[in-house]
Amino acid sequence: MLKKSDSIVLCISGPSGVGKGTVINSLLEKFPEFSLSISMTTRKPRGQEKDGVDYYFCEKEEFESLIAKKEIIEYDIYSNEYYGTPIGPIRESIKEKKDIILDITLAGSLQIKKLIPQAVMVFLLPPNLYELEKRLTERQTESKEAIKARMQHAKLEMVHASKFEYTLINNKINDTINCLEAIIVAEKCKYLRQEEFINEIIAQFQ
Ligand code: 5GP
């Protein structure tokens, strides 16, 4: 188990197409102290995606060897491909008390929460089923079959939204960002995240 710390490990989950990427990019602009965890995946690059920027793209054998070496803190199989979070940057963020965002599946967030209890879990929901399908279709990055598979996966994921601490309906992006901002500020105000400083102040009154 990783050590407790006052950094924020923010897991953002939600069905494919809900807008996690857009929300995360806006958040990174507003909170430059956050870094983004770059995942490993065995899926092929899509569109303009770059290795080491959007993902670390690798072959199945390499991914499995990283799992065996415990270099992946959590992983999931999505649309027959591996996706996982390298442990190094997470460890470093916690050690350096820095904030980090993870864009991961629901199962991935639940694994992280088990290992890092102070991690913050946010689930993004679409306003309705048809809107999700529309967003997936309009982004033109997947084939019809892939969209169908992603919609199927969404149906499985949505049932578990209640396992998350925070659930946000991503209807208007600005509203979602404002809510996330409020969540981050509230999390930063938690006693456990500021224990050291608060105790220094309290000690002056003893
Ligand atoms: P995409 O193929 O659209 O980039 O990602 C498919 C799904 O994999 C998304 O729901 C995304 O959040 C998830 N994902 C990306 N990286 C990781 C990871 O490191 N771990 C897990 N569990 N899921 C990931």
Side-chain angles (χ1 to χ4, degrees):
M1 178 142 354
L2 292 164
K3 272 193 199 153
K4 263 195 162 189
S5 95
D6 56 2
S7 63
I8 295 185
V9 176
L10 178 63
C11 300
I12 309 270
S13 292
S16 176
V18 77
K20 284 171 293 187
T22 314
V23 166
I24 288 173
N25 286 338
S26 307
L27 213 65
L28 288 169
E29 268 181 31
K30 272 207 166 161
F31 292 90
E33 69 271 28
F34 271 91
S35 65
L36 177 66
S37 158
I38 301 174
S39 300
M40 306 265 332
T41 185
T42 55
R43 89 146 160 75
K44 298 285 167 258
R46 223 168 36 196
Q48 303 295 308
E49 284 180 340
K50 285 198 182 76
D51 186 43
V53 177
D54 300 283
Y55 280 105
Y56 295 110
F57 296 99
C58 70
E59 297 301 320
K60 196 169 167 235
E61 294 68 30
E62 190 188 344
F63 197 102
E64 287 174 347
S65 122
L66 290 171
I67 297 173
K69 287 193 258 170
K70 300 203 185 322
E71 286 182 24
I72 299 278
I73 183 169
E74 67 69 39
Y75 72 92
D76 199 1
I77 296 173
Y78 182 93
S79 287
N80 297 320
E81 303 289 356
Y82 280 118
Y83 290 82
T85 305
I87 197 164
I90 304 290
R91 257 199 194 127
E92 203 171 308
S93 294
I94 293 176
K95 194 169 144 226
E96 307 273 322
K97 302 187 192 301
K98 286 188 175 152
D99 303 325
I100 188 160
I101 306 184
L102 284 70
D103 171 347
I104 57 177
T105 58
L106 178 139
S109 277
L110 297 177
Q111 287 176 62
I112 291 283
K113 188 70 183 170
K114 265 194 187 161
L115 294 166
I116 311 171
Q118 77 274 25
V120 181
M121 301 157 71
V122 177
F123 193 83
L124 297 184
L125 293 95
N128 56 59
L129 184 142
Y130 303 103
E131 177 64 25
L132 184 69
E133 200 161 16
K134 186 169 156 256
R135 289 182 194 175
L136 272 173
T137 309
E138 282 177 359
R139 75 181 191 187
Q140 297 185 327
T141 46
E142 270 89 15
S143 63
K144 271 196 174 153
E145 293 72 48
I147 292 174
K148 213 171 153 196
R150 282 175 185 243
M151 285 302 293
Q152 275 309 113
H153 200 94
K155 287 179 187 170
L156 300 175
E157 284 184 309
M158 294 293 287
V159 189
H160 300 285
S162 59
K163 293 187 174 145
F164 278 65
E165 296 165 313
Y166 298 102
T167 41
L168 303 179
I169 300 169
N170 189 27
N171 198 358
K172 290 195 181 125
I173 181 84
N174 285 345
D175 293 346
T176 308
I177 299 295
N178 288 340
C179 286
L180 267 176
E181 202 172 335
I183 291 169
I184 292 169
V185 173
E187 285 290 333
K188 287 194 173 186
C189 292
K190 280 188 171 164
Y191 167 73
L192 275 178
R193 292 195 202 278
Q194 319 177 75
E195 202 174 8
E196 213 180 299
F197 315 111
I198 299 289
N199 285 349
E200 271 176 27
I201 299 171
I202 295 172
Q204 294 169 14
F205 291 81
Q206 304 307 301

